Every structure is written in structure tokens, then in C-alpha cells.
Amino acid sequence: MKTKQWIALGVVLGLMALTAMVLVRVGASQRLGTPGLQVVDEPTLMTNGVVAKAQSVKLPAEIEDYSSEPVGITPLEVSWLPPDTLFGRRQYQAKDGFQALISAVLMGSDRTSIHKPQFCLDGQGWRIEKTETVAIPMTRPHPYELQVMKLTSSRVWQNERGQREPIRGVYIYWFVAENQLTPHHGERMWWMARDLILTGVLQRWAYVTYFAVCRPGQEEATFNRLKELITASVPEFQLAAGPMLPLASTAAVSPESQTQNRN
Amino acid sequence: MTETSQAETDAQPRFLEELAAYWRQWPAKPLWIGLFVAWLALFQFLGNSTLGYIDTRSLFGWLHYCYGQHPDDEHGYLIPVVVLVMFWWKRRELLDRAGDVWWPALALVVFALALHVLGYRVQQTRVSVVAFVLGLYGLLGLTWGRRFMVNAFFPVVLFVFCIPLSTVSEALTYPLRIMVTKISVGIGHGILAMPIVRDGSQIIGPEGIYDVAPACSGIRSLTALGAVTMIYAFVAFSVPWQRLAILLTAIPLAVAGNVARVTTVLILGDVFGKDLAMSVEQYLGLVTFAVALVCLFILGSWLQGRRAT
């Protein structure tokens, strides 16, 4: 080899060695952020009753006139997602029979725990008809608007008599981390990348979903029920909240003003 | 021994002799081998920081996992072979242009290393795939000079098809799916007077409901046609605007091919019933490519005719 070639080889190998040291340091220096949901030392059970995790995301057992039962995580979810993923899932039922499933998935040190919920719906046979961003007025811990993604979906269901009938699903979700809330997957990815680069902190994201099934034509009424449930339940387990609304808006959404409006 | 097998046997030693002779003529082999092996080793041992689905630090292990999980990304296995074949096809040109060390190419290598650190830090392995290819291209230029680097742009650019995109491509493929459905219903109802209506990506007719599946959007036909149009553009054309024209046909060709497929299914369903139409549908992928390739070569012939005049 010529001298110039030896120099080129040496320079590039040196750059690669330096890069390797940086990569090792990057991998070792990542710090995990704080979750935006409450985590409790209660085991997560799978659908077969086996304990999947020693911890779980806290979801309240009772909310207003709703009672609830814990719902097991499927073995597929447990095996497919990274091993340090945490879950919380409960089925809620109101006294009038309305049912809703609340689910939360919290990542550990690997961002691949969090994926677009559309994959889950699609995989379960639901066809997404409409996707929209909506704002849900929250009153606790302070008045703010929770931006969520609302998916209206459909599938064909076999009822107890063996007949196939169409049903609708209203699926609401958003992403939450420490002091961060967004309904947009892309925004979440951007914030995570930005914080990793600027601070070395890996934001610990979760996604929260509310899901209810209804007959065709009842989608809006079902969504309104879910909105009320979200307003009542989210402050029980979510640590993050959006920016406080200005005073004029606060008057519009405070419980006192809602009572006055009803009167 | 038959004449055909004798010819095949004679062809093998000739290829191997030519390969050996070609290899002997190549300058700076030790430099290239050292750089290439080191580059591979970096991405083998520190290529991937996303350990959730597959516990490996290897970029190649991550790619292998992605290709295996999603059929729409399986073509990634073939791309390196295609690139090598293209390099062999251009071997005389490249040998003529092979020169000495070209230091400006080091800037691209440095950029690629920085890009890989960024991708590693933010757990975006696709960024690291881009960094791997860019750095490899930079090493080619560093070893054999600017003229070689320019000439090697194609086929190195084909490595872009190694990036697994099926899980992130919905923003592009879903609108294409809707477009395919709309055009197919337009042809079926508007021209052929079939009693069908569209509901999203579903086509509803008296014989049942057809769902225009993601395979008919489709990322697989897009990437395959993208690779085919790129190879055709660079092999058959030398004028930049003609190459660009050919490259830009990938999306409309994918749409045209899938429209042909869906419309064929609708016609078969209308005449023979949905069950037969759906049983034939799985074999109609060839229709997609046949239509697309015919349109591509018609356009190519027209462009070549313009060049001749």
C-alpha cells in the first residue's frame, strides 16, 4: 500500500474507534425519565391467570357510578412487547349497563413498547372509519383541555343467536409522559428525540386508551359517555396535566359553572 | 455430455477467470478491504440501540428481523445481490474510473458517522441504515476517487430499498389505497355499469363486500416498481431528465397496476360470483406488475424515440 493509503486507513479507523467509544458512552448514559402515570406494586396478570409483571399501571377500581374488574393481558402482548413494558387494564360498567375498557401501556427503557394503537385495532378486526383530534375539558388538577385522538371504527359481530350484525367502536387514545401530553404519534417521537439529544433523558411514554362498543348510530352518544368517564377517571391515575386554561375559559369548564348551566 | 451442459460448464470457468482477472487489476485492494471490514464491524457490534423486539446490537440482525416480520420488506434480502450484479455490469466503466485516494470523500464518512450516532441516540435504527449506506459510499470515494464515486452512485443508490418501511408507510399507502378504490369503482360503476358503491376502502356490491387490502395500496408494489424503474432509468437512459421521468412513474404505475387488479376482481365477481373472484385474486399480483411493466416500457420506448430524433 502507498503511504497515502496507509494514512487514509489510519484516519478512518481512528474515526470509527472514536465513534465506537461515543456509541458505548451514549448507550450507557441514557437516563430513563419519570412516567406520567402512577405505577403501583400490584402484579399484572395475563388472561391465563399467570403473573406477567410485578408492577402495574394504577387504574381506579371505582369511578363515580362505575364499578370495574381487572382484565388480563394477552400472552401475545406480553411476549411481543419489550419485557419491561408495564400494563394497566380494567373493564368498567355503569349502573345503566354502559361498559368501557380503559387500558394503559407504559414503556420501560425501550421506545418500541409504544406503537400506534391503530395497529391493535386493525389486528383485532376493527376497520377504522374516521380519525379526528378532539379536546376534552378536564377540571382536575386544574382546568385544562386534554387533546385526544378519537377513532370511530366498525366490524361485523356474531351475536348470541349466531347472527352477524354490524357494530361500532369508539376508541380514544393519547400519549403521556412526565409533563407531556399529545394525541399525535409524530409529535411524541419528535419530543422524545429532542430530549434524548438535548438532555440524554429517555422520556418514559405511555399510551392510554378508552374503548366502548355501540350500535350503529350511537357513536356520538357513546363518545359523550366516554368523555364524562375520562373527565372523572384520568385525574385518578395520570400525573401529567396540560397547561391551565385562561380565566375566561376556566369559568366555562369549572364544575360550578357546569352546575349553573344546568340550572 | 450434451452440447448445452458442455456450454454451461465452459461458461463457468470463463466467468471465474474473468472475475479473477478483474480482481487482479483492481487498485488499492488492501485499503478497501480494511475499510470495508471495519465499517461492517462497527455496524455489527454497535449498529442498533432498539433492543425491544430483537436483542441484538447488530444493524444487520435488526434488518434481518424486520425483513422476516413483514413480507412487504422481504425484498431487502435481494437488494445487496442486485447491487453486486449492477456493479459487475458496470465493471469496465468503474475500473476505468478507479483512481487514487480522494480526501473530500472523508467528509461524507464523517457525516455518516455523526448520523449513526444520532440514530443510535434517539433509537431510530432506520437512520443508522442510511448512515451505513452513506458511509459505504463515502469509503468508495475515499478509496478510488471522485470519478469512481460519481459513477458508482448507481447502483449504490439501490440500497435505499433496504430500509424497511412497511410499518411507517401508512401515510403514503393509505391514500393510495383509497385512490385505487375510487378509480376501480369509477371504472366498474361509471364505465361498466356495475351496481357497486365505495365505502372507504371497501367496495360493496350485490355479491358481497370487497375490501381493498393494504396489499393493494401497496408498499410492496411501490418498492418493487421503484427498484425496477430505478434500474431501468439508469441502465437504459443517460439523460438526467429522462431518468427522472422514468423514476417518477413508480407511483402512478403502482396505482395503475393495482387498479387493473381490483377491476379484474370486480369483473370476475360480477360474472362468476365473489367466491371465484376472491379465489383468483391471490394470483393476480402478476397482473399488477404486468400492467405496470408494459406501461413503463411503452414510456421508455417513447422517450428513446425522442432521443433518437
Side-chain angles (χ1 to χ4, degrees), chain B residues 6-233:
Chain B
Q6 179 67 43
E8 286 170 356
T9 307
D10 288 344
Q12 285 171 3
R14 278 202 288 274
F15 169 73
L16 291 175
E17 282 165 14
E18 187 178 356
L19 181 62
Y22 182 67
W23 178 251
R24 280 192 293 271
Q25 293 175 68
W26 264 106
K29 285 193 288 288
L31 172 61
W32 171 250
I33 290 170
L35 291 175
F36 183 61
V37 168
W39 193 249
L40 284 182
L42 178 68
F43 285 87
Q44 168 64 21
F45 296 109
L46 287 167
N48 170 43
S49 61
T50 308
L51 303 178
Y53 293 110
I54 181 167
D55 189 5
T56 177
R57 292 276 178 205
S58 167
L59 183 73
F60 314 112
W62 180 83
L63 283 171
H64 171 64
Y65 171 81
C66 290
Y67 297 158
Q69 286 297 306
H70 304 287
D72 289 349
D73 293 322
E74 271 177 344
H75 59 272
Y77 289 121
L78 288 177
I79 297 301
V81 176
V82 172
V83 170
L84 284 175
V85 168
M86 289 292 107
F87 266 113
W88 179 251
W89 174 72
K90 292 181 79 167
R91 61 192 181 281
R92 293 198 174 82
E93 271 179 70
L94 291 169
L95 188 58
D96 284 343
R97 286 161 175 80
D100 205 357
V101 170
W102 188 53
W103 289 107
L106 188 63
L108 187 58
V109 177
V110 170
F111 174 74
L113 288 169
L115 191 64
H116 176 45
V117 169
L118 179 68
Y120 198 87
R121 186 161 176 87
V122 300
Q123 295 191 2
Q124 290 291 345
T125 314
R126 288 180 184 84
V127 174
S128 295
V129 174
V130 173
F132 174 79
V133 174
L134 281 179
L136 198 64
Y137 187 52
L139 292 176
L140 288 172
L142 181 69
T143 307
W144 288 304
R146 190 185 70 85
R147 289 178 67 220
F148 181 91
M149 195 175 175
V150 168
N151 206 258
F153 174 76
F154 174 84
V156 170
V157 71
L158 287 173
F159 276 122
V160 72
F161 295 104
C162 278
I163 304 172
L165 293 176
S166 61
T167 56
V168 298
S169 59
E170 198 176 320
L172 174 62
T173 59
Y174 185 74
L176 290 181
R177 204 164 133 199
I178 296 299
M179 189 188 301
V180 166
T181 313
K182 280 183 181 174
I183 298 173
S184 302
V185 169
I187 294 171
H189 180 71
I191 298 176
L192 301 176
M194 291 183 198
I196 52 175
V197 293
R198 184 183 70 86
D199 178 21
S201 62
Q202 289 186 334
I203 301 173
I204 303 165
E207 64 278 357
I209 299 174
Y210 302 90
D211 196 1
V212 179
C216 287
S217 50
I219 191 63
R220 199 183 305 191
S221 48
L222 256 181
T223 48
L225 284 170
V228 167
T229 54
M230 188 174 283
I231 292 170
Y232 183 50

Side-chain angles (χ1 to χ4, degrees), chain A residues 61-82:
Chain A
E62 288 181 1
I63 308 163
E64 293 185 345
D65 64 339
Y66 287 85
S67 60
S68 72
E69 292 287 336
V71 175
I73 312 301
T74 63
L76 181 65
E77 288 172 283
V78 173
S79 62
W80 194 52
L81 294 177

